[in-house]
Amino acid sequence: MIPQHVLVLNASYEPINVCSIRRAVVLLLKEKAEILEHGPRAIRGVTRDFPSPHVIRLVHRVRVPRYEARRMSRRALFARDGHECQYCGSRSRLTVDHVVPRSRGGDSSWMNVVTSCAPCNARKGDALCDEVHMYPRVTPHTPHPGVFIDVAMARRPAAWSPYLIAA
Ligand SMILES: [Zn+2]
């Protein structure tokens, strides 16, 4: 089976992204990346064939965008918070809660959003934490890059595992 996604490592072996096979092949053709793990099947190129890439490594180190700059998404937020309401621990009817409500000047940054079940979100309403004595279990923070890789992939291929241990 050829995986539909390829794990991209920085030159420093830090996992930084997930890309399509097509994109990976372009990077390999331009000699901007090398194959670290590949499958048994070959991808036919114009001048030569490639083994289908599973994990590639960029030849030159790139500057990874600050994680704060990565777009906030419900999926990434829920993954960061372990799919648990940060107020009561419920795992159902999850919503996005602004710790400082937007009506009180709170923004939608990673530092101000937490996973909340719908009942807790309704209970907290437009109040500040101190006003209702509801505090998130974990201080909101920017997710680890591994969270984005998990979100991009429904399932991590086995060939990726050795490179994600440190992630
Ligand atoms: Zn809750």
Side-chain angles (χ1 to χ4, degrees):
M1 187 198 92
I2 297 180
Q4 295 304 300
H5 294 88
V6 178
L7 178 63
V8 183
L9 307 184
N10 214 337
S12 56
Y13 288 87
E14 176 198 8
I16 51 172
N17 207 350
V18 172
C19 75
S20 66
I21 294 224
R22 181 182 296 268
R23 172 75 183 144
V25 167
V26 169
L27 290 170
L28 293 166
L29 280 170
K30 290 182 172 175
E31 298 182 338
K32 291 187 172 176
E34 62 173 3
I35 292 184
L36 293 184
E37 299 283 341
H38 60 79
R41 284 183 57 181
I43 290 178
R44 197 161 288 280
V46 177
T47 53
R48 60 188 173 115
D49 292 349
F50 284 106
S52 67
H54 287 175
V55 180
I56 63 171
R57 170 179 171 259
L58 300 178
V59 173
H60 299 292
R61 196 166 194 284
V62 297
R63 207 180 68 84
V64 180
R66 292 171 63 219
Y67 301 124
E68 290 89 327
R70 297 207 187 189
R71 201 164 61 85
M72 221 277 288
S73 72
R74 292 167 60 91
R75 287 179 68 196
L77 176 66
F78 296 169
R80 183 197 73 179
D81 293 342
H83 300 274
E84 285 186 356
C85 171
Q86 291 299 292
Y87 298 109
C88 76
S90 168
R91 300 177 71 90
S92 64
R93 298 179 63 198
L94 298 182
T95 64
V96 176
D97 176 59
H98 289 74
V99 178
V100 176
R102 276 182 288 195
S103 61
R104 310 282 286 266
D107 61 13
S108 292
S109 74
W110 287 110
M111 321 302 276
N112 190 48
V113 291
V114 294
T115 304
S116 167
C117 70
C120 284
N121 205 337
R123 194 151 61 90
K124 184 162 168 290
D126 282 337
L128 299 173
C129 292
D130 283 341
E131 295 170 348
V132 284
H133 302 290
M134 291 173 67
Y135 303 95
R137 295 176 168 193
V138 177
T139 305
H141 55 279
T142 57
H144 192 277
V147 165
F148 297 98
I149 290 167
D150 273 346
V151 166
M153 288 297 300
R155 183 169 66 90
R156 290 178 174 190
W160 292 14
S161 298
Y163 302 94
L164 292 172
I165 287 169

